[in-house]
């Protein structure tokens, strides 16, 4: 690449200034057609979701016999589907609120751990000189392909029986009960997220200007200090970007939670409950529609409120590379 | 240095562990011990006592309302013995049980609905043979026909729990009465009735085999029922154990016979469309057109009683009811196809065996039956405790000594066939593939 | 059952322990790395002083310390990766060479099975179609949209709408699309949008998910629908990062928008494009939930991850399931090689 792209090291402020100037230039290029086409495409993209959304407010027999578009000619409106999903539940499976709390308790640490570990690892792979670091990076990158389904059994064995080498118990079994099982889920999600996290953050950290690091080294700063005072502030957007991805992935995950936390209201996340609700009675569109929207709400709020970081985060990382 | 570093790593790992340890103390069990143990209503549970405060975990495919009923059915047992039963039901049961067992995290008890799966765990040495008490209780309450399905290499692994009868055709007694249709007693009558209904402008049959990741199973039930009827129980047993190949002409006959209904555009698929719509109609929805008069007949198991829309009266004189899927040659006896789940153990702690024995008892069967929507082959089950008329009919059939009972064949076959190529093969068959190609494909997958 | 908040307390406690553990581990590691070298530095200084007093040359060792730092930075990641992915990957490879009881070695028999069984060959072909189409179409759409939206008003609204499917789980997205593809008999009113359109154009309603190979493409549409948002967001960000001076200079030179796109935009966003294609490709290779929810692999729509799961966990054939997983490892090799070349170039440049 030969174009003189600005480096992130020039500072966030400088970048911001440049974008606004770029923005001004582009404003002039604004075209009505572009606006029209992009809005139409966006609306088309949203039609399937919108249809489900409308359906979630329609009575059961209406959903099953007529298309959602008839809502506009024959509006029949009900909250019953949401009522059913949110408040009615069998006594053995508990309240939806419990599952909601489980989802939170599972998701927050499962986002924090891999983000921090991957940031440290990506820094080492990008800026510390040691033998074989490129191969290590490639190996971690390639691990992305290991399907997590194949990791379930060995990982579960690791938790439930510990590690035994040649008959000697090296690590004990975890023996967790009830809500302690969250720790297993955090652990599992951290494992599965790390390859992508390292890949994404390495892409970003490797772009930071070398002069900046060199200057710090000359001043006698150690790697931990450079990481904390120089790198960390610059990569916050990238961290936020990965954080959102990981959040969406963990929040929407079913399989990992089912295996490592179990399916009871003590530990299972929202997705498990919604899957069971839909699963026991098959094509219950009315429950599915409302349930789907209940589960979308949180990720949507998170995405919309962090969108700004997200865009900036991926931006700088992929400018040059 | 190296030593210090690895200590550090251990300490880091320990932080997590420590945090967990603290929680364990914070939420320690302060469950009250059973105070009712000596009260008179606990008398039947005396032999299971002595395990106060112990916990038994159960894993099954039973969820939602059905799971509530389960919990209710053993509530008194829990109160009287102090054993806490932790039940977890999952739609992923069949796949997840294997993951948990291989991962060293097996439940104490599992309700396994497939003898084939049971055999796999038994062969792998994962299952514990049932204790002497459980075995005695099971032999007392269940016919040998049933117990042979949970016996592998002479070792007995557990008694059946719930059962169901699959050889049923659902219909609307009300409509039948209005139109003057008669409940058929033979296969030929059934076909005549179908023609009669078709002539009246209604498609007689409705069917649906979509069932999430188990799509195809309702069609395999059709084939099994017809194998029992056209080839007889002995050939049926050869078929399920691969004594005859899957593409044997006898199997092809049965499949084609099913095809005279399922692949006949004049007969199906009332309320949904043509033959192919069977593949995408969910089994739960499949019978509902009977209530709106868009179809008249629906072959499905006794448990379909739970699938009717709210307010449908299930009774001999009600909106819907079921008749026995007639035999081709009634002179050869009444073959009945059915299924059920077996209470198997992955642990042999005394409290686990106590629960396993209790679940095989007549007390349990009656306790569960009273709550409703449940059928069992348990001989001690009192018909008066079965509220639902279809369930009553099922229990009668199961307890009838003249009944020739056979377990659902696809559950007996290796999972790769019974829950794999057989299901998928039937989906392809409905979707237009011919019988020979489908059967050859299934045969080649059975190794 | 009343919702009892007190019963939920242990969960929050557990969450708190998790957060404490996080702070302790990450903070502890950084602190350790800060304090220990400082201590060594002090000791060396003391040695230096002592040495200079004694007249001996000061001891110099810098190289090994770099390696040590790297080790500590990488330690948590490596530990987790070894336990969670490396060991399972090795185990899978070993299992793929064994029979279904995982007791006897069978050599490459499971691989032979994979390529001789017509239904499995179909699965492999399907995966190939997926991995060729999804990254291509999703990225292309994302790119075109990113260019378009860059000049449009209501930009953030439009972008949010396109990105929306990313926030929905794969299962949820598939349910949404099953609703679009839903079928009702000819005599009935359609409830699926696609069939409604067909009917209103005078056609006959179709069971979309039954006919191969059309059904595979309809499932691919779902994946594209989800991933295009990701591609669009990343590429749009990259486009905005192109310095205004370059754009302005090009405009002064009088280049057409077409030339602008190929000469300025494309070269500038190439790295972002690579990230997008690589990420989507890997996600597509592993696609599982969509096929499972929509058809469960029936009607010739199965892909490797589904078949692997079914073989390993439902049919009790871990050997065959593992062989499929190993094939997945092999499929990713081209992407890995490309990544190595990229890294080399980057190091040289």
């Amino acid at each position: 690449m030969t174009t003189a792209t600005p480096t992130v090291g020039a500072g966030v402020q400088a970048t911001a200034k440049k974008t606004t100037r770029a923005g001004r230039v582009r404003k002039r290029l604004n075209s009505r057609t572009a606006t029209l086409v992009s809005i139409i495409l966006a609306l088309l993209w949203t039609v399937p979701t919108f249809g489900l959304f409308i359906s979630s407010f329609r009575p059961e027999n209406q959903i099953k016999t007529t298309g959602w578009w008839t809502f506009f000619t024959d509006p029949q409106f009900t909250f019953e589907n949401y009522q059913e999903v949110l408040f009615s539940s069998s006594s053995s499976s508990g309240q939806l609120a419990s599952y909601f709390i489980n989802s939170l308790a599972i998701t927050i640490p499962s986002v924090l751990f891999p983000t921090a570990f991957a940031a440290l690892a990506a820094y080492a792979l990008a800026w510390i000189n040691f033998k074989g670091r490129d191969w290590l990076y490639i190996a971690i990158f390639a691990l992305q392909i290991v399907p997590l389904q194949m990791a379930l059994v060995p990982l579960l064995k690791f938790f439930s029986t510990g590690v035994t080498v040649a008959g000697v118990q090296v690590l004990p079994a975890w023996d967790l009960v009830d809500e302690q099982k969250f720790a297993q889920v955090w652990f599992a999600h951290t494992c599965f997220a790390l390859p992508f996290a390292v890949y994404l953050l390495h892409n970003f950290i490797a772009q930071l200007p070398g002069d900046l690091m060199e200057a710090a080294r000359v001043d006698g700063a150690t790697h931990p200090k450079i990481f904390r005072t120089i790198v960390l502030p610059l990569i916050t957007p990238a961290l936020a970007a990965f954080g959102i991805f990981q959040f969406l992935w963990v929040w929407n995950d079913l399989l990992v939670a089912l295996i490592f936390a179990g399916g009871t209201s003590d530990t299972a996340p929202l997705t498990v409950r919604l899957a069971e609700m839909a699963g026991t009675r098959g094509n219950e569109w009315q429950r599915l529609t409302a349930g789907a929207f209940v589960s979308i709400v949180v990720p949507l709020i998170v995405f919309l409120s962090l969108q700004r970081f997200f865009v900036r985060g991926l931006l700088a990382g992929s400018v040059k590379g | 240095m190296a030593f210090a570093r690895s200590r550090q790593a251990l300490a880091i790992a320990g932080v997590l562990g420590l945090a967990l340890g603290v929680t364990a103390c914070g939420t320690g069990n302060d469950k009250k011990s059973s105070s009712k143990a000596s009260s008179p209503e606990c008398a039947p549970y005396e032999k299971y006592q002595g395990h106060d405060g112990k916990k038994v975990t159960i894993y099954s495919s039973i969820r939602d309302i059905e799971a509530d009923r389960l919990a209710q059915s053993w509530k008194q047992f829990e109160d009287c013995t102090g054993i806490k039963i932790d039940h977890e039901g999952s739609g992923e049961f069949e796949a997840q049980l294997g993951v948990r067992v291989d991962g060293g995290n097996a439940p104490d008890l599992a309700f396994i609905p497939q003898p084939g799966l049971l055999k796999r765990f038994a062969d792998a040495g994962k299952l514990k043979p049932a204790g002497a008490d459980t075995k005695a209780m099971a032999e007392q309450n269940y016919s040998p026909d049933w117990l042979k399905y949970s016996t592998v290499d002479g070792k007995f692994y557990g008694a059946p729990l719930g059962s169901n009868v699959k050889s049923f055709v659902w219909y609307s007694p009300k409509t039948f009465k209005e139109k003057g249709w008669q409940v058929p007693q033979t296969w030929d009558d059934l076909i005549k009735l179908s023609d009669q209904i078709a002539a009246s402008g209604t498609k007689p049959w409705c069917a649906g085999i979509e069932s999430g990741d188990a799509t195809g199973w309702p069609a395999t039930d059709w084939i099994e029922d017809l194998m029992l009827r056209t080839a007889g129980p002995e050939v049926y047993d050869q078929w399920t154990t691969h004594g005859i190949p899957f593409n044997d002409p006898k199997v092809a006959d049965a499949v084609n016979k099913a095809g005279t209904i399922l692949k006949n555009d004049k007969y199906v698929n009332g309320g949904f469309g043509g033959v192919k719509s069977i593949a995408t109609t969910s089994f739960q929805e499949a019978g509902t057109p009977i209530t709106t008069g868009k179809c008249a007949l629906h072959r499905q198991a006794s448990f379909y009683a739970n699938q009717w829309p709210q307010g449908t009266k299930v009774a001999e004189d009600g909106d819907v009811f079921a008749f026995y899927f007639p035999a081709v040659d009634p002179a050869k006896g009444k073959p009945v196809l059915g299924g059920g789940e077996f209470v198997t153990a992955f642990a042999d702690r005394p409290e686990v065996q106590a629960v396993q024995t209790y679940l095989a008892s007549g007390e349990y069967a009656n306790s569960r039956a009273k709550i409703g929507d449940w059928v069992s082959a348990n001989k001690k089950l009192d018909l008066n405790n079965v509220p639902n008329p279809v369930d009553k009919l099922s229990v009668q059939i199961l307890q009838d000594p003249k009944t020739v009972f056979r377990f659902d064949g696809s559950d007996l076959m290796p999972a790769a066939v019974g829950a794999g190529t057989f299901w998928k093969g039937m989906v392809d068959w409905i979707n237009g593939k011919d019988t020979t190609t489908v059967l050859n494909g299934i045969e080649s997958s059975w190794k | 059952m009343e919702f009892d908040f007190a019963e939920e307390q242990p969960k929050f406690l557990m969450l708190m322990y998790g957060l404490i553990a996080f702070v302790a581990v990450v903070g502890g590691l950084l602190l350790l790395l800060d304090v220990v070298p400082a201590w060594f530095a002090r000791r060396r200084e003391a040695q230096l002083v002592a040495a200079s007093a004694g007249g001996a040359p000061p001891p110099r060792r810098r190289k090994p310390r770099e390696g040590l730092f790297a080790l500590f930075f990488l330690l948590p990641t490596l530990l987790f990766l070894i336990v969670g992915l490396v060991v399972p990957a090795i185990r899978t490879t070993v299992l793929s060479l064994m029979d279904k009881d995982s007791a006897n070695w069978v050599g490459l028999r499971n691989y032979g099975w994979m390529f001789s069984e017509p239904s499995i060959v179909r699965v492999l072909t399907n995966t190939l179609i997926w991995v060729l189409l999804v990254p291509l179409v999703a990225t292309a759409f994302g790119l075109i949209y990113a260019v378009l939206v860059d000049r449009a008003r209501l930009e953030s609204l439009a972008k949010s709408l396109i990105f929306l499917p990313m926030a929905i789980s794969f299962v949820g997205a598939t349910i949404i699309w099953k609703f679009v593809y839903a079928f009702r008999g000819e005599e009935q009113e359609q409830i699926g949008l696609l069939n409604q359109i067909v009917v209103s154009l005078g056609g006959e309603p179709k069971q979309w998910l039954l006919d191969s190979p059309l059904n595979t493409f309809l499932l691919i549409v779902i994946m594209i629908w989800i991933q295009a948002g990701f591609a669009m967001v990343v590429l749009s960000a990259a486009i905005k990062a192109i310095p205004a001076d370059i754009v302005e200079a090009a405009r002064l030179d009088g280049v057409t928008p077409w030339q602008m796109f190929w000469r300025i935009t494309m070269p500038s966003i190439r790295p972002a494009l690579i990230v997008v294609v690589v990420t989507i490709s890997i996600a597509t290779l592993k696609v599982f939930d969509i096929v499972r929810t929509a058809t469960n692999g029936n009607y010739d729509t199965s892909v490797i991850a589904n078949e692997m799961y079914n073989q390993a966990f439902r049919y009790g054939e871990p050997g065959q399931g593992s062989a499929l997983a190993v094939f997945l490892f092999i499929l990713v090799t081209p992407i890995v090689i490309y990544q190595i070349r990229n890294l080399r170039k980057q190091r040289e440049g």
Side-chain angles (χ1 to χ4, degrees):
Chain A
M1 200 170 62
T2 47
T3 43
T5 40
T7 46
V8 186
V12 179
Q13 272 188 329
T15 321
K17 238 183 252 161
K18 279 205 173 110
T19 0
T20 43
R21 194 138 57 86
R24 247 187 294 119
V25 174
R26 287 197 187 89
K27 276 271 149 60
R28 273 181 263 141
L29 304 175
N30 251 349
S31 91
R32 252 167 233 265
T33 357
T35 306
L36 197 67
V37 173
S38 62
I39 290 292
I40 289 176
L41 277 175
L43 290 180
L44 272 180
W45 220 244
T46 319
V47 164
T49 319
F50 181 71
L52 197 77
F53 182 67
I54 294 286
S55 296
S56 69
F57 290 106
R58 303 178 74 216
E60 176 179 352
N61 62 333
Q62 289 265 312
I63 296 179
K64 284 182 175 168
T65 53
T66 59
W68 55 266
W69 48 90
T70 53
F71 178 81
F72 300 106
T73 49
D74 171 27
Q76 290 195 36
F77 189 84
T78 175
F79 276 116
E80 210 176 297
N81 305 329
Y82 283 92
Q83 200 116 30
E84 201 179 337
V85 167
L86 289 174
F87 304 112
S88 101
S89 69
S90 64
S91 55
S92 68
S93 43
Q95 289 282 345
L96 205 71
S98 282
Y99 292 92
F100 196 85
I101 293 169
N102 295 343
S103 273
L104 278 182
I106 284 174
T107 309
I108 297 171
S110 300
V111 171
L112 291 178
F113 278 105
T115 314
F117 292 164
L120 286 168
Y123 173 78
L125 291 169
W127 291 107
I128 304 183
N129 263 316
F130 63 95
K131 235 176 148 185
R133 67 168 168 163
D134 285 355
W135 287 109
L136 190 60
Y137 169 66
I138 289 292
I140 293 175
F141 168 81
L143 278 177
Q144 281 188 77
I145 196 60
V146 178
L148 69 90
Q149 292 94 339
M150 300 315 282
L152 298 178
V153 171
L155 199 52
L156 192 60
K157 220 178 220 159
F158 172 78
F159 294 137
S160 58
T161 60
V163 178
T164 314
V165 177
V168 183
Q169 188 87 15
V170 182
L171 279 174
W174 286 32
D175 280 330
L176 305 180
V177 292
D178 297 335
E179 72 280 343
Q180 294 170 14
K181 284 189 180 159
F182 286 148
Q184 295 184 4
V185 189
W186 301 338
F187 192 103
H189 275 306
T190 304
C191 294
F192 300 146
L194 277 171
F196 178 64
V198 171
Y199 170 62
L200 198 73
L201 295 181
H202 180 273
N203 252 331
F204 194 96
I205 294 178
Q207 308 314 318
L208 299 176
D211 334 351
L212 210 62
M213 306 290 171
E214 208 38 58
R217 294 303 303 265
V218 169
D219 284 352
T222 56
H223 282 299
K225 190 150 188 239
I226 298 175
F227 179 77
R228 269 190 297 113
T229 56
I230 300 174
V231 175
L232 218 48
L234 286 175
I235 62 166
T236 347
L239 295 179
F242 169 73
I244 293 178
F245 272 127
Q246 177 67 356
F247 182 93
L248 294 177
W249 159 245
V250 176
W251 187 269
N252 288 329
D253 157 79
L254 176 74
L255 201 56
V256 175
L258 207 55
I259 298 279
F260 296 108
T264 64
S265 68
D266 288 339
T267 44
L270 211 52
T271 43
V272 170
R273 177 73 193 125
L274 292 172
E276 299 287 294
M277 263 183 141
T280 38
R281 297 219 55 194
N283 280 14
E284 299 269 313
W285 284 116
Q286 77 281 6
R287 278 189 186 184
L288 282 177
T289 51
F293 274 94
V294 170
S295 65
I296 291 174
V297 169
V298 173
L300 211 58
I301 294 172
V302 169
F303 168 69
L304 290 177
S305 54
L306 296 181
Q307 196 186 20
R308 225 159 31 94
F309 287 104
F310 183 52
V311 172
R312 264 206 288 156
L314 285 163
L315 159 128
S318 47
V319 172
K320 191 179 158 226
Chain B
M1 256 301 259
F3 174 66
R5 219 176 298 135
S6 61
R7 277 261 308 261
Q8 197 57 46
L10 270 179
I12 291 167
V15 173
L16 259 176
L18 198 70
L20 304 171
V22 175
T23 347
C25 300
T27 61
N29 277 344
D30 50 327
K31 294 268 181 298
K32 70 258 169 217
S33 66
S34 65
S35 49
K36 294 210 273 175
S38 51
S39 60
E41 78 248 27
C42 280
Y45 302 101
E46 212 170 309
K47 57 180 173 245
Y48 309 113
Q49 281 170 358
H51 313 289
D52 199 354
K54 295 282 168 46
K55 199 164 109 173
V56 174
T57 58
I58 299 180
Y59 192 45
S60 83
S61 55
I62 300 165
R63 291 161 287 162
D64 220 26
I65 308 171
E66 290 298 308
D68 291 353
R69 290 175 172 156
L70 265 186
Q72 203 185 331
S73 71
W74 55 54
K75 175 98 186 13
Q76 199 171 27
F77 173 84
E78 284 184 291
D79 289 345
C80 290
T81 59
I83 298 176
K84 185 169 182 321
I85 298 178
D86 243 4
H87 170 257
E88 182 189 339
S90 168
E92 303 279 317
F93 171 78
E94 281 85 0
Q96 298 310 332
L97 182 62
V99 174
R100 289 192 184 191
V101 171
D102 287 345
N105 196 20
D108 294 332
L109 294 173
F111 300 163
I112 302 182
Q114 299 89 2
L117 188 63
L118 187 152
K119 182 172 182 303
R120 202 164 92 207
F121 285 122
D123 284 342
K126 307 281 190 188
L127 280 181
K128 299 274 191 266
D133 287 350
T134 313
K135 195 173 179 202
M137 182 67 88
E139 281 169 352
Q140 209 180 343
N141 293 341
Y142 289 91
S143 72
D145 260 358
W146 275 92
L147 299 187
K148 75 172 185 223
Y149 292 117
S150 55
T151 305
V152 180
D153 293 334
K155 280 191 196 133
F156 175 67
Y157 286 98
L161 190 71
S163 321
N164 55 67
V165 174
K166 300 202 169 196
S167 302
F168 276 134
V169 177
W170 290 87
Y171 71 109
S172 165
K174 222 158 68 185
T175 317
F176 267 50
K177 208 172 161 193
E178 276 167 26
K179 310 252 173 158
W181 297 333
Q182 293 296 318
V183 169
Q185 300 300 323
T186 66
W187 172 265
D188 292 334
D189 286 351
L190 185 69
I191 296 297
K192 262 182 229 150
L193 175 66
S194 307
D195 285 332
Q196 191 187 347
I197 298 171
S200 77
T202 312
K203 279 190 180 172
W205 291 87
C206 42
I209 62 171
E210 199 275 337
S211 179
D213 59 8
T215 296
W217 70 261
T220 65
D221 283 4
W222 268 90
I223 308 301
E224 289 152 11
D225 242 342
L226 282 158
M227 268 304 280
L228 269 178
R229 280 160 180 71
T230 57
E234 285 73 32
V235 179
Y236 180 88
D237 290 342
Q238 290 169 0
W239 175 55
T240 56
T241 52
H242 214 203
I244 57 169
F246 210 107
N247 50 2
D248 191 275
K250 288 176 190 141
V251 186
D253 282 349
V255 174
N256 287 332
K257 197 130 194 155
T260 56
I261 292 177
L262 287 179
K263 291 180 97 168
N264 184 341
D265 259 322
K266 287 201 196 75
Y267 284 2
V268 292
N269 189 8
F272 296 106
V275 169
K276 284 188 181 183
S277 69
I278 293 175
T280 48
T281 303
S282 79
F283 96 90
Q284 293 99 332
E285 275 190 307
T288 44
I290 289 183
T291 57
T292 55
K294 285 186 178 145
C295 99
L297 303 161
H298 177 60
R299 199 218 72 97
Q300 192 49 279
S302 51
F303 52 72
Y304 197 75
N306 304 330
Q307 304 296 345
W308 298 103
Q310 269 188 351
T312 311
K313 189 181 172 202
V314 183
E316 207 152 356
D317 54 351
D319 300 318
V320 290
F321 200 60
F323 60 77
Y324 168 74
F325 190 47
V328 172
D329 182 2
K332 281 190 190 161
K334 282 189 166 184
V336 169
L337 184 75
E341 64 270 348
F342 295 86
V343 182
T344 56
F346 289 94
D348 51 8
R349 303 195 309 275
E351 66 271 19
V352 176
Q353 292 193 337
V355 174
Q356 201 185 8
T357 308
Y358 168 65
L359 293 176
S361 70
E363 282 91 40
Y364 177 74
N366 283 301
S367 158
R368 174 64 190 86
K370 276 180 208 165
I371 303 166
D373 286 336
W374 195 69
V375 174
S376 172
N378 194 312
K379 289 184 213 158
K380 297 265 172 65
L381 178 57
D382 184 353
L383 259 186
N384 296 323
N385 284 333
V386 183
N388 178 330
V390 171
D391 292 347
K392 217 171 229 170
L393 184 62
S394 308
V395 175
Q396 273 169 341
I397 291 176
L398 286 174
Q399 288 182 343
D400 183 353
K402 276 176 281 179
T403 296
V404 183
F405 178 82
R406 283 297 181 274
F407 206 92
D408 186 328
S410 57
D411 291 339
L412 300 171
M413 299 170 186
V417 179
T421 49
F422 193 8
W423 285 352
K424 288 196 190 304
M426 291 329 290
V427 174
D428 290 341
W429 180 72
I430 290 289
N431 204 18
K433 262 198 196 152
D434 65 288
T435 307
T436 321
T437 316
V438 168
L439 294 185
N440 287 344
I442 301 173
E443 171 60 23
S444 77
S445 72
W446 197 334
K447 286 173 283 195
Chain C
M1 197 171 82
E2 284 296 300
F3 179 67
D4 185 359
F5 197 77
E7 268 180 34
E8 308 295 326
Q9 221 172 349
K11 296 176 186 171
F12 287 108
L13 206 63
M14 190 63 203
L15 175 59
M16 217 177 70
Y17 286 128
L19 297 179
I20 292 171
F22 174 75
V23 172
V25 171
V26 178
L29 195 64
L30 283 176
L31 194 72
L32 178 85
L33 288 175
D34 246 3
V35 171
V36 174
W39 182 75
F40 272 103
R42 266 206 305 281
R43 204 178 71 165
R44 224 181 72 209
E45 220 163 277
Q47 273 176 352
L48 218 72
V49 172
S52 61
R60 284 199 69 87
R61 44 187 290 270
R62 195 179 172 91
K63 271 274 151 62
R65 281 258 297 278
E66 286 277 289
L68 267 178
F69 273 123
L71 185 70
F72 272 101
F73 270 82
L74 285 162
L75 198 63
T77 299
L78 293 182
L79 286 178
F80 274 90
L81 284 179
I82 287 168
V83 173
L85 291 172
V86 176
V87 170
I90 294 170
R91 177 179 174 273
T92 303
T93 314
V94 171
L95 282 182
S96 76
L97 302 171
M98 299 177 104
D99 66 1
K100 67 173 180 177
D101 300 320
S102 307
N104 305 303
W105 297 96
V106 296
L108 294 175
R109 202 178 70 193
N110 290 324
Y111 294 90
W113 161 84
M114 204 160 79
F115 293 109
S116 60
E117 186 79 28
S119 63
I120 304 300
V121 173
R122 184 61 200 249
V123 166
L124 304 182
T125 337
N126 282 344
T127 305
L128 213 62
I129 299 176
W130 274 80
V131 81
L132 288 179
L133 270 181
V134 175
L136 190 76
V137 180
T139 312
F141 181 87
L143 180 58
I144 293 169
Y145 200 83
V147 172
L148 257 179
V149 88
D150 195 39
R151 309 156 163 213
R153 286 171 201 284
L154 294 171
E155 185 182 335
S156 72
L157 173 75
K159 273 159 94 175
S160 297
L161 287 180
I162 300 278
F163 192 82
L164 182 74
M166 270 300 280
I168 305 170
S169 66
F170 280 34
V171 175
T174 313
I175 289 171
I176 288 177
W177 279 88
K178 261 183 112 171
F179 208 52
V180 173
Y181 298 145
F183 165 85
R184 282 286 188 265
E186 235 173 292
E187 63 272 22
Q188 284 167 284
E189 223 180 304
Q190 294 300 320
I191 64 167
L193 185 62
L194 193 55
N195 269 323
Q196 175 67 26
I197 293 172
V198 168
V199 167
S200 62
L201 292 176
E204 271 181 31
K206 261 186 82 143
Q207 302 230 47
W208 298 104
L209 294 178
L210 288 191
D211 294 332
S212 172
L214 177 67
N215 48 13
T216 292
F217 291 101
L218 291 175
L219 297 190
I220 287 175
V221 166
I222 306 177
M223 187 68 168
I224 292 172
W225 183 67
I226 298 172
Q227 298 292 343
F230 166 72
M232 182 271 299
V233 167
V234 177
L235 295 176
S236 163
I239 289 175
K240 296 214 177 298
I242 303 172
D245 340 9
I246 299 179
V247 180
E248 223 154 349
R251 281 201 62 77
L252 289 176
D253 288 349
V255 299
T256 64
W258 186 250
Q259 286 171 320
M260 176 89 99
F261 178 77
W262 287 108
R263 294 205 193 143
I264 310 283
T265 312
M266 278 303 265
S268 312
I269 62 167
R270 203 174 147 261
L273 219 48
I274 293 170
V275 172
V276 168
V277 173
V278 165
T279 307
I280 297 182
S281 299
I282 291 179
T284 307
L285 277 176
K286 295 201 286 183
V287 71
F288 172 73
D289 292 330
I290 293 180
V291 176
R292 192 172 137 90
T293 313
T295 62
N296 190 37
N298 277 309
Y299 329 118
D300 288 338
T301 55
S302 199
V303 291
I304 290 183
N306 273 78
E307 200 57 34
M308 169 195 81
Y309 182 83
N310 282 346
Q311 293 287 346
F313 300 126
R314 303 193 41 203
Y315 306 162
E317 298 277 2
Q320 295 175 1
S322 302
L324 285 164
V326 172
F327 189 69
L328 213 55
F329 301 164
I330 295 168
L331 280 184
V332 85
T333 335
I335 306 178
V336 171
I337 291 173
Y338 181 75
Q339 202 63 28
I340 294 174
R341 281 187 38 205
N342 243 0
L343 199 67
R344 288 245 169 88
K345 240 191 260 166
Q346 196 183 318
R347 290 271 185 264
E348 282 158 17

